[in-house]
Amino acid sequence: MSTDIKQINFSEFHEIKDWLIKNGYKGNKLNWKLMRGLAHVIKEYFNKDFLDHLTWQELDEFHAKSPIHFLVLEISKTR
């Protein structure tokens, strides 16, 4: 995850991979695809339109407040 860029590009695997690993999930392509699917749910939570970008802070906040949405992700064995 690049700390110098505040907005998330869900189309870039490496950006999401770093966030997944940091939060105890497998940094694999399946989890990346699932995260891309969750993006619209997170945007709705923050009243954002489809084309609006999410920030890393918003993703972290949503993850903390709504962990149930992330149960679909594969958890890392090293967690």
Side-chain angles (χ1 to χ4, degrees):
M1 170 176 41
S2 179
T3 56
D4 59 334
I5 299 174
K6 292 182 180 182
Q7 295 180 336
I8 305 169
N9 184 351
F10 281 91
S11 297
E12 294 293 331
F13 173 66
H14 68 276
E15 286 194 27
I16 301 304
K17 178 184 174 187
D18 291 345
W19 184 91
L20 288 165
I21 292 169
K22 178 187 91 169
N23 286 282
Y25 303 106
K26 288 184 179 180
N28 59 23
K29 298 268 180 160
L30 174 61
N31 278 352
W32 169 56
K33 289 177 183 178
L34 292 169
M35 286 293 292
R36 289 177 71 184
L38 281 174
H40 78 279
V41 174
I42 302 168
K43 287 180 182 185
E44 284 179 9
Y45 177 83
F46 288 104
N47 295 316
K48 292 190 169 204
D49 291 328
F50 176 76
L51 296 176
D52 291 336
H53 293 283
L54 288 167
T55 66
W56 293 109
Q57 181 179 351
E58 289 169 332
L59 176 56
D60 288 339
E61 180 182 331
F62 185 80
H63 183 252
K65 289 184 177 179
S66 300
I68 195 165
H69 286 92
F70 296 86
L71 292 176
V72 297
L73 300 177
E74 293 184 42
I75 296 174
S76 173
K77 292 181 182 176
T78 60
R79 188 175 193 189

Coordinates of all heavy atoms in Angstrom, one line a residue:
M1 N 0.9 -1.2 0.0 CA 0.0 0.0 0.0 C 0.9 1.2 0.0 O 1.8 1.4 0.8 CB -0.9 0.0 1.2 CG -1.7 1.2 1.5 SD -2.8 1.1 2.9 CE -1.9 0.2 4.1
S2 N 0.7 2.1 -0.9 CA 1.5 3.3 -1.0 C 0.9 4.4 0.0 O -0.2 4.7 -0.1 CB 1.4 3.8 -2.4 OG 2.2 5.0 -2.5
T3 N 1.8 4.8 0.9 CA 1.3 5.8 1.9 C 1.3 7.2 1.3 O 0.7 8.1 1.9 CB 2.2 5.7 3.1 OG1 3.5 6.0 2.7 CG2 2.1 4.4 3.8
D4 N 1.9 7.5 0.2 CA 1.9 8.8 -0.4 C 0.6 9.1 -1.2 O 0.4 10.2 -1.5 CB 3.1 9.1 -1.2 CG 3.3 8.1 -2.3 OD1 2.8 7.0 -2.2 OD2 4.0 8.5 -3.3
I5 N -0.1 8.1 -1.5 CA -1.4 8.2 -2.3 C -2.5 7.9 -1.4 O -2.6 6.8 -0.8 CB -1.3 7.3 -3.6 CG1 -0.2 7.7 -4.5 CG2 -2.7 7.4 -4.3 CD1 0.0 6.8 -5.6
K6 N -3.5 8.8 -1.3 CA -4.6 8.6 -0.3 C -5.7 7.8 -0.9 O -6.4 7.1 -0.2 CB -5.1 10.0 0.1 CG -4.2 10.7 1.0 CD -4.8 12.0 1.5 CE -3.8 12.7 2.4 NZ -4.3 14.0 2.9
Q7 N -5.9 7.8 -2.3 CA -7.0 7.1 -2.9 C -6.5 5.7 -3.3 O -5.4 5.5 -3.7 CB -7.4 7.9 -4.1 CG -8.0 9.3 -3.8 CD -8.5 10.0 -5.0 OE1 -8.0 9.8 -6.1 NE2 -9.4 10.9 -4.8
I8 N -7.5 4.8 -3.3 CA -7.3 3.4 -3.6 C -7.6 3.2 -5.1 O -8.7 3.7 -5.5 CB -8.2 2.5 -2.8 CG1 -8.0 2.8 -1.3 CG2 -7.9 1.1 -3.1 CD1 -9.0 2.1 -0.4
N9 N -6.8 2.5 -5.7 CA -7.0 2.0 -7.1 C -7.3 0.5 -7.0 O -6.4 -0.3 -7.0 CB -5.9 2.3 -8.0 CG -6.2 2.0 -9.4 OD1 -7.2 1.3 -9.7 ND2 -5.3 2.3 -10.4
F10 N -8.6 0.2 -6.9 CA -8.9 -1.2 -6.8 C -8.6 -2.1 -8.0 O -8.6 -3.3 -7.9 CB -10.4 -1.4 -6.5 CG -10.8 -1.1 -5.0 CD1 -11.1 0.2 -4.6 CD2 -10.8 -2.1 -4.1 CE1 -11.4 0.5 -3.3 CE2 -11.1 -1.8 -2.8 CZ -11.4 -0.6 -2.4
S11 N -8.2 -1.4 -9.1 CA -7.8 -2.2 -10.3 C -6.4 -2.6 -10.2 O -6.0 -3.5 -11.0 CB -8.0 -1.3 -11.5 OG -9.4 -1.0 -11.7
E12 N -5.6 -2.1 -9.3 CA -4.2 -2.5 -9.1 C -4.1 -3.5 -8.0 O -4.3 -3.2 -6.9 CB -3.4 -1.2 -8.8 CG -3.3 -0.2 -9.9 CD -2.6 -0.7 -11.1 OE1 -1.7 -1.5 -11.0 OE2 -2.9 -0.2 -12.2
F13 N -3.7 -4.7 -8.4 CA -3.5 -5.8 -7.5 C -2.6 -5.5 -6.4 O -2.8 -5.8 -5.2 CB -3.1 -7.1 -8.3 CG -2.7 -8.2 -7.4 CD1 -3.7 -8.9 -6.6 CD2 -1.4 -8.7 -7.3 CE1 -3.4 -9.9 -5.8 CE2 -1.1 -9.8 -6.5 CZ -2.1 -10.4 -5.7
H14 N -1.4 -4.9 -6.7 CA -0.4 -4.7 -5.7 C -0.9 -3.8 -4.6 O -0.4 -3.9 -3.4 CB 0.9 -4.2 -6.3 CG 0.8 -2.8 -6.9 ND1 0.3 -2.6 -8.1 CD2 1.1 -1.6 -6.3 CE1 0.3 -1.2 -8.4 NE2 0.8 -0.6 -7.3
E15 N -1.7 -2.8 -4.9 CA -2.2 -1.9 -3.8 C -3.1 -2.7 -2.8 O -3.0 -2.5 -1.6 CB -3.0 -0.8 -4.5 CG -2.2 0.3 -5.1 CD -2.9 1.5 -5.4 OE1 -3.9 1.8 -4.7 OE2 -2.5 2.2 -6.4
I16 N -4.0 -3.5 -3.4 CA -4.9 -4.2 -2.5 C -4.2 -5.4 -1.8 O -4.5 -5.6 -0.6 CB -6.1 -4.8 -3.3 CG1 -6.9 -3.6 -4.0 CG2 -7.1 -5.6 -2.4 CD1 -7.4 -2.5 -3.1
K17 N -3.2 -6.0 -2.5 CA -2.5 -7.1 -1.9 C -1.8 -6.6 -0.6 O -1.9 -7.3 0.4 CB -1.4 -7.6 -2.8 CG -0.6 -8.7 -2.3 CD 0.5 -9.1 -3.3 CE 1.5 -10.1 -2.7 NZ 2.6 -10.4 -3.5
D18 N -1.2 -5.5 -0.6 CA -0.5 -5.0 0.6 C -1.5 -4.8 1.8 O -1.2 -5.1 2.9 CB 0.2 -3.7 0.3 CG 1.4 -3.9 -0.6 OD1 1.9 -5.0 -0.8 OD2 1.9 -2.9 -1.1
W19 N -2.7 -4.2 1.5 CA -3.7 -4.0 2.5 C -4.2 -5.3 3.1 O -4.3 -5.4 4.3 CB -4.8 -3.1 1.9 CG -5.8 -2.8 3.0 CD1 -5.9 -1.7 3.8 CD2 -7.0 -3.6 3.4 NE1 -6.9 -1.7 4.6 CE2 -7.6 -2.9 4.4 CE3 -7.5 -4.8 3.0 CZ2 -8.8 -3.4 5.1 CZ3 -8.6 -5.3 3.6 CH2 -9.3 -4.6 4.6
L20 N -4.4 -6.3 2.2 CA -4.9 -7.6 2.6 C -3.9 -8.2 3.6 O -4.3 -8.7 4.7 CB -5.1 -8.5 1.4 CG -6.3 -8.2 0.5 CD1 -6.2 -8.9 -0.8 CD2 -7.6 -8.6 1.2
I21 N -2.7 -8.2 3.2 CA -1.6 -8.9 4.1 C -1.5 -8.1 5.4 O -1.4 -8.8 6.5 CB -0.3 -8.9 3.3 CG1 -0.4 -9.9 2.1 CG2 0.9 -9.3 4.2 CD1 0.8 -9.8 1.2
K22 N -1.5 -6.8 5.4 CA -1.4 -6.0 6.6 C -2.6 -6.4 7.6 O -2.4 -6.3 8.8 CB -1.5 -4.5 6.3 CG -1.4 -3.6 7.5 CD -1.6 -2.2 7.1 CE -3.1 -1.9 7.1 NZ -3.5 -0.5 7.0
N23 N -3.7 -6.7 7.0 CA -4.9 -7.0 7.8 C -5.2 -8.5 8.1 O -6.2 -8.9 8.5 CB -6.1 -6.3 7.2 CG -6.1 -4.8 7.4 OD1 -6.4 -4.4 8.5 ND2 -5.7 -4.1 6.4
G24 N -4.2 -9.3 7.8 CA -4.3 -10.8 8.1 C -5.0 -11.6 7.1 O -5.3 -12.8 7.4
Y25 N -5.1 -11.1 5.9 CA -5.8 -11.9 4.8 C -4.7 -12.4 3.8 O -3.6 -11.8 3.7 CB -6.8 -11.1 4.1 CG -7.9 -10.5 5.0 CD1 -7.9 -9.2 5.3 CD2 -8.9 -11.4 5.5 CE1 -8.9 -8.7 6.2 CE2 -9.9 -10.9 6.4 CZ -9.9 -9.6 6.7 OH -10.8 -9.1 7.5
K26 N -5.1 -13.4 3.0 CA -4.2 -13.8 2.0 C -4.1 -12.7 0.9 O -5.1 -12.2 0.5 CB -4.6 -15.1 1.4 CG -4.5 -16.3 2.3 CD -4.9 -17.6 1.5 CE -4.7 -18.8 2.4 NZ -5.0 -20.0 1.8
G27 N -2.9 -12.4 0.4 CA -2.7 -11.5 -0.6 C -2.8 -12.1 -2.0 O -1.8 -12.1 -2.7
N28 N -3.9 -12.8 -2.3 CA -4.0 -13.5 -3.5 C -5.0 -12.9 -4.5 O -5.7 -11.9 -4.1 CB -4.4 -15.0 -3.2 CG -5.7 -15.1 -2.5 OD1 -6.6 -14.3 -2.5 ND2 -5.9 -16.3 -1.8
K29 N -5.0 -13.4 -5.7 CA -5.9 -12.8 -6.7 C -7.4 -13.0 -6.4 O -8.2 -12.1 -6.7 CB -5.6 -13.4 -8.1 CG -4.2 -13.2 -8.6 CD -4.1 -12.0 -9.4 CE -2.7 -11.8 -9.9 NZ -2.5 -11.0 -11.0
L30 N -7.8 -14.1 -5.7 CA -9.2 -14.2 -5.3 C -9.6 -13.2 -4.4 O -10.7 -12.5 -4.6 CB -9.4 -15.6 -4.7 CG -10.8 -15.9 -4.2 CD1 -11.9 -15.8 -5.3 CD2 -10.9 -17.2 -3.5
N31 N -8.8 -12.9 -3.3 CA -9.2 -11.9 -2.4 C -9.2 -10.5 -3.0 O -10.0 -9.6 -2.7 CB -8.2 -11.9 -1.2 CG -8.6 -12.9 -0.2 OD1 -9.6 -13.5 -0.2 ND2 -7.7 -13.1 0.8
W32 N -8.3 -10.3 -4.0 CA -8.3 -9.0 -4.7 C -9.6 -8.8 -5.5 O -10.3 -7.8 -5.4 CB -7.1 -8.9 -5.7 CG -7.1 -7.8 -6.7 CD1 -7.2 -6.5 -6.4 CD2 -7.1 -8.0 -8.1 NE1 -7.2 -5.8 -7.6 CE2 -7.1 -6.7 -8.6 CE3 -7.0 -9.0 -8.9 CZ2 -7.0 -6.4 -10.0 CZ3 -6.9 -8.8 -10.3 CH2 -6.9 -7.5 -10.8
K33 N -10.1 -9.9 -6.1 CA -11.3 -9.8 -6.9 C -12.5 -9.6 -5.9 O -13.4 -8.8 -6.2 CB -11.6 -11.1 -7.7 CG -10.6 -11.2 -8.9 CD -10.8 -12.5 -9.6 CE -9.8 -12.6 -10.7 NZ -9.9 -13.8 -11.5
L34 N -12.5 -10.3 -4.8 CA -13.5 -10.1 -3.8 C -13.5 -8.6 -3.2 O -14.6 -8.0 -3.0 CB -13.4 -11.1 -2.6 CG -13.6 -12.5 -3.0 CD1 -13.2 -13.5 -1.9 CD2 -15.1 -12.7 -3.3
M35 N -12.4 -8.1 -3.0 CA -12.3 -6.7 -2.6 C -12.8 -5.7 -3.6 O -13.5 -4.7 -3.3 CB -10.8 -6.3 -2.3 CG -10.3 -6.9 -1.0 SD -11.1 -6.2 0.5 CE -10.5 -4.6 0.5
R36 N -12.6 -6.0 -4.9 CA -13.1 -5.2 -5.9 C -14.6 -5.2 -5.9 O -15.3 -4.2 -6.1 CB -12.6 -5.6 -7.3 CG -11.1 -5.3 -7.5 CD -10.6 -5.8 -8.8 NE -11.1 -5.0 -9.9 CZ -10.9 -5.3 -11.1 NH1 -10.2 -6.3 -11.5 NH2 -11.4 -4.5 -12.1
G37 N -15.2 -6.3 -5.5 CA -16.6 -6.5 -5.4 C -17.2 -5.7 -4.2 O -18.3 -5.2 -4.2
L38 N -16.4 -5.7 -3.1 CA -16.8 -5.0 -1.9 C -16.7 -3.5 -2.0 O -17.3 -2.7 -1.3 CB -15.9 -5.4 -0.7 CG -16.2 -6.7 0.0 CD1 -15.1 -7.0 1.0 CD2 -17.5 -6.7 0.6
A39 N -16.0 -3.0 -3.0 CA -15.8 -1.6 -3.2 C -17.1 -0.8 -3.3 O -17.2 0.2 -2.7 CB -14.9 -1.3 -4.4
H40 N -18.1 -1.4 -4.0 CA -19.3 -0.7 -4.1 C -20.1 -0.6 -2.8 O -20.8 0.4 -2.5 CB -20.2 -1.3 -5.2 CG -20.9 -2.5 -4.8 ND1 -20.3 -3.8 -4.8 CD2 -22.2 -2.8 -4.4 CE1 -21.1 -4.7 -4.4 NE2 -22.3 -4.1 -4.2
V41 N -20.0 -1.6 -2.0 CA -20.6 -1.6 -0.7 C -20.0 -0.6 0.2 O -20.7 0.2 0.9 CB -20.5 -3.0 0.0 CG1 -21.0 -3.0 1.4 CG2 -21.2 -4.1 -0.8
I42 N -18.7 -0.5 0.2 CA -18.0 0.5 1.0 C -18.3 1.9 0.5 O -18.6 2.9 1.3 CB -16.5 0.3 0.9 CG1 -16.1 -1.1 1.4 CG2 -15.7 1.3 1.8 CD1 -14.7 -1.6 1.2
K43 N -18.4 2.1 -0.8 CA -18.8 3.4 -1.4 C -20.2 3.8 -0.9 O -20.4 5.0 -0.6 CB -18.7 3.4 -2.9 CG -17.3 3.5 -3.4 CD -17.2 3.4 -4.9 CE -15.7 3.4 -5.3 NZ -15.6 3.5 -6.8
E44 N -21.1 2.9 -0.9 CA -22.5 3.2 -0.5 C -22.5 3.6 1.0 O -23.2 4.5 1.4 CB -23.4 1.9 -0.6 CG -23.8 1.7 -2.1 CD -24.6 0.4 -2.2 OE1 -25.0 -0.2 -1.2 OE2 -24.9 0.0 -3.3
Y45 N -21.7 3.0 1.8 CA -21.6 3.3 3.2 C -21.2 4.8 3.4 O -21.7 5.5 4.3 CB -20.6 2.4 3.9 CG -20.3 2.7 5.4 CD1 -21.2 2.2 6.3 CD2 -19.2 3.4 5.8 CE1 -21.0 2.5 7.7 CE2 -19.0 3.7 7.1 CZ -19.9 3.2 8.1 OH -19.7 3.5 9.4
F46 N -20.3 5.2 2.6 CA -19.8 6.6 2.7 C -20.5 7.6 1.7 O -20.1 8.7 1.5 CB -18.3 6.7 2.4 CG -17.5 6.1 3.5 CD1 -16.9 4.8 3.3 CD2 -17.3 6.8 4.6 CE1 -16.1 4.3 4.4 CE2 -16.5 6.2 5.7 CZ -15.9 5.0 5.5
N47 N -21.7 7.1 1.2 CA -22.5 7.9 0.3 C -21.7 8.5 -0.9 O -21.9 9.6 -1.3 CB -23.2 9.1 1.0 CG -24.1 8.6 2.1 OD1 -24.9 7.7 1.8 ND2 -24.1 9.2 3.3
K48 N -20.9 7.6 -1.5 CA -20.1 8.0 -2.7 C -20.8 7.4 -3.9 O -21.4 6.3 -3.9 CB -18.7 7.5 -2.5 CG -17.9 8.2 -1.4 CD -16.5 7.9 -1.5 CE -15.7 8.8 -0.6 NZ -14.4 9.0 -1.0
D49 N -20.6 8.0 -5.0 CA -21.1 7.5 -6.3 C -20.1 6.5 -6.8 O -19.0 6.3 -6.4 CB -21.1 8.7 -7.3 CG -22.3 9.7 -7.0 OD1 -23.3 9.2 -6.5 OD2 -22.1 10.9 -7.3
F50 N -20.5 5.8 -7.9 CA -19.8 4.7 -8.5 C -18.4 5.2 -8.9 O -17.4 4.5 -8.7 CB -20.5 4.1 -9.7 CG -19.8 3.1 -10.4 CD1 -19.7 1.8 -9.9 CD2 -19.2 3.4 -11.6 CE1 -19.0 0.8 -10.6 CE2 -18.5 2.4 -12.3 CZ -18.4 1.1 -11.8
L51 N -18.3 6.4 -9.4 CA -17.0 6.9 -10.0 C -16.1 7.5 -8.9 O -15.0 7.8 -9.2 CB -17.3 7.9 -11.1 CG -17.9 7.2 -12.3 CD1 -18.2 8.3 -13.4 CD2 -17.1 6.1 -12.9
D52 N -16.7 7.8 -7.7 CA -15.9 8.4 -6.6 C -14.8 7.4 -6.1 O -15.0 6.2 -6.1 CB -16.8 8.8 -5.5 CG -17.7 10.0 -5.8 OD1 -17.3 10.7 -6.7 OD2 -18.7 10.1 -5.1
H53 N -13.7 7.9 -5.7 CA -12.6 7.1 -5.1 C -12.8 6.9 -3.6 O -13.3 7.8 -3.0 CB -11.3 7.7 -5.5 CG -11.0 7.6 -6.9 ND1 -10.5 6.5 -7.6 CD2 -11.0 8.6 -7.9 CE1 -10.3 6.8 -8.8 NE2 -10.6 8.0 -9.0
L54 N -12.3 5.8 -3.1 CA -12.2 5.6 -1.7 C -10.8 5.9 -1.2 O -9.9 5.8 -2.0 CB -12.5 4.1 -1.3 CG -14.0 3.7 -1.5 CD1 -14.1 2.2 -1.4 CD2 -14.8 4.4 -0.4
T55 N -10.7 6.3 0.0 CA -9.3 6.5 0.6 C -9.0 5.3 1.5 O -9.8 4.5 1.9 CB -9.3 7.8 1.5 OG1 -10.1 7.6 2.6 CG2 -9.7 9.0 0.7
W56 N -7.7 5.2 1.8 CA -7.2 4.1 2.7 C -7.9 4.3 4.0 O -8.2 3.3 4.7 CB -5.7 4.1 2.7 CG -5.1 3.7 1.4 CD1 -4.4 4.6 0.6 CD2 -5.1 2.5 0.8 NE1 -4.0 3.9 -0.5 CE2 -4.4 2.6 -0.4 CE3 -5.6 1.2 1.2 CZ2 -4.2 1.5 -1.3 CZ3 -5.4 0.1 0.3 CH2 -4.7 0.3 -0.9
Q57 N -8.0 5.5 4.5 CA -8.6 5.7 5.8 C -10.1 5.2 5.8 O -10.5 4.6 6.8 CB -8.6 7.2 6.1 CG -9.2 7.6 7.4 CD -9.1 9.1 7.7 OE1 -8.4 9.8 7.0 NE2 -9.7 9.5 8.8
E58 N -10.8 5.5 4.7 CA -12.2 5.0 4.6 C -12.3 3.5 4.6 O -13.1 2.9 5.3 CB -12.9 5.6 3.4 CG -13.2 7.0 3.5 CD -13.6 7.6 2.2 OE1 -13.2 7.1 1.1 OE2 -14.3 8.7 2.2
L59 N -11.3 2.8 3.9 CA -11.3 1.4 3.9 C -11.0 0.8 5.3 O -11.7 -0.1 5.7 CB -10.3 0.9 2.9 CG -10.1 -0.6 2.8 CD1 -11.4 -1.4 2.5 CD2 -9.0 -1.0 1.8
D60 N -10.1 1.4 6.0 CA -9.7 1.0 7.3 C -10.9 1.2 8.3 O -11.2 0.3 9.1 CB -8.5 1.7 7.8 CG -7.2 1.3 7.1 OD1 -7.2 0.1 6.6 OD2 -6.2 2.0 7.2
E61 N -11.6 2.3 8.1 CA -12.7 2.6 9.0 C -13.9 1.6 8.7 O -14.4 1.1 9.7 CB -13.2 4.0 8.7 CG -14.4 4.4 9.6 CD -14.9 5.8 9.3 OE1 -14.1 6.7 8.9 OE2 -16.1 6.0 9.4
F62 N -14.1 1.3 7.5 CA -15.2 0.4 7.2 C -14.8 -1.0 7.6 O -15.7 -1.7 8.2 CB -15.5 0.4 5.6 CG -16.6 -0.5 5.2 CD1 -17.9 0.0 5.4 CD2 -16.4 -1.8 4.8 CE1 -19.0 -0.8 5.0 CE2 -17.5 -2.6 4.4 CZ -18.8 -2.1 4.5
H63 N -13.6 -1.4 7.5 CA -13.1 -2.7 8.0 C -13.3 -2.8 9.5 O -13.7 -3.9 10.0 CB -11.6 -2.9 7.6 CG -11.1 -4.2 8.0 ND1 -10.2 -4.4 9.0 CD2 -11.3 -5.4 7.4 CE1 -9.9 -5.6 9.1 NE2 -10.5 -6.3 8.1
A64 N -13.0 -1.7 10.2 CA -13.2 -1.8 11.7 C -14.6 -1.8 12.1 O -15.0 -2.5 13.1 CB -12.5 -0.6 12.3
K65 N -15.5 -1.1 11.4 CA -16.9 -0.9 11.8 C -17.8 -2.1 11.2 O -18.8 -2.3 11.8 CB -17.4 0.4 11.3 CG -16.9 1.6 12.1 CD -17.5 2.9 11.7 CE -17.0 4.0 12.6 NZ -17.6 5.3 12.3
S66 N -17.4 -2.7 10.1 CA -18.2 -3.7 9.5 C -17.4 -4.9 9.1 O -17.3 -5.3 7.9 CB -18.9 -3.1 8.3 OG -19.7 -2.0 8.6
P67 N -16.8 -5.6 10.1 CA -15.9 -6.7 9.7 C -16.7 -7.9 9.1 O -16.1 -8.7 8.4 CB -15.3 -7.1 11.1 CG -16.2 -6.6 12.1 CD -16.8 -5.3 11.5
I68 N -18.0 -7.9 9.3 CA -18.8 -9.0 8.7 C -18.7 -9.1 7.2 O -18.7 -10.1 6.6 CB -20.2 -8.9 9.2 CG1 -21.0 -10.2 8.9 CG2 -20.9 -7.7 8.5 CD1 -22.3 -10.4 9.6
H69 N -18.5 -7.9 6.6 CA -18.4 -7.9 5.1 C -17.1 -8.5 4.6 O -17.0 -8.9 3.4 CB -18.4 -6.4 4.6 CG -19.8 -5.8 4.7 ND1 -20.2 -5.1 5.8 CD2 -20.8 -5.9 3.8 CE1 -21.4 -4.7 5.6 NE2 -21.8 -5.2 4.4
F70 N -16.1 -8.7 5.5 CA -14.8 -9.2 5.0 C -14.7 -10.7 5.3 O -13.6 -11.3 5.1 CB -13.7 -8.4 5.7 CG -13.7 -7.0 5.3 CD1 -14.5 -6.1 5.9 CD2 -12.9 -6.6 4.2 CE1 -14.5 -4.7 5.5 CE2 -12.9 -5.3 3.8 CZ -13.7 -4.3 4.5
L71 N -15.8 -11.4 5.8 CA -15.7 -12.8 6.1 C -15.5 -13.6 4.9 O -15.2 -14.8 5.0 CB -17.0 -13.2 6.9 CG -17.1 -12.7 8.3 CD1 -18.5 -13.1 8.9 CD2 -16.0 -13.1 9.2
V72 N -15.8 -13.1 3.7 CA -15.7 -13.8 2.5 C -14.2 -14.0 2.0 O -13.9 -14.8 1.2 CB -16.5 -13.1 1.3 CG1 -17.9 -13.1 1.6 CG2 -16.0 -11.7 1.0
L73 N -13.3 -13.2 2.6 CA -11.9 -13.2 2.3 C -11.2 -14.4 2.9 O -11.5 -14.8 4.0 CB -11.2 -11.9 2.7 CG -11.8 -10.6 2.1 CD1 -11.0 -9.4 2.7 CD2 -11.7 -10.6 0.6
E74 N -10.2 -14.9 2.2 CA -9.4 -16.0 2.7 C -8.4 -15.4 3.8 O -7.7 -14.5 3.5 CB -8.7 -16.7 1.6 CG -9.5 -17.4 0.7 CD -8.7 -18.2 -0.4 OE1 -7.6 -18.8 0.0 OE2 -9.1 -18.2 -1.5
I75 N -8.4 -16.0 4.9 CA -7.5 -15.5 6.0 C -6.2 -16.2 5.8 O -6.1 -17.4 5.5 CB -8.1 -15.9 7.4 CG1 -9.5 -15.1 7.6 CG2 -7.2 -15.6 8.5 CD1 -10.2 -15.5 8.8
S76 N -5.1 -15.4 6.1 CA -3.8 -15.9 6.1 C -3.5 -16.9 7.2 O -4.0 -16.7 8.3 CB -2.8 -14.8 6.1 OG -1.5 -15.3 6.2
K77 N -2.8 -18.0 6.9 CA -2.5 -19.0 8.0 C -1.5 -18.4 9.0 O -1.4 -19.0 10.1 CB -1.9 -20.2 7.3 CG -2.9 -21.0 6.5 CD -2.3 -22.2 5.9 CE -3.3 -22.9 5.1 NZ -2.8 -24.1 4.4
T78 N -0.9 -17.3 8.7 CA 0.1 -16.7 9.7 C -0.6 -15.7 10.6 O 0.0 -15.0 11.4 CB 1.2 -16.0 8.9 OG1 0.7 -15.0 8.1 CG2 2.0 -17.1 8.1
R79 N -1.9 -15.5 10.4 CA -2.7 -14.5 11.2 C -2.7 -14.9 12.7 O -2.8 -16.0 13.1 CB -4.1 -14.4 10.7 CG -4.8 -13.3 11.3 CD -6.1 -13.2 10.6 NE -6.7 -11.9 11.0 CZ -7.9 -11.5 10.7 NH1 -8.7 -12.3 10.0 NH2 -8.4 -10.4 11.1

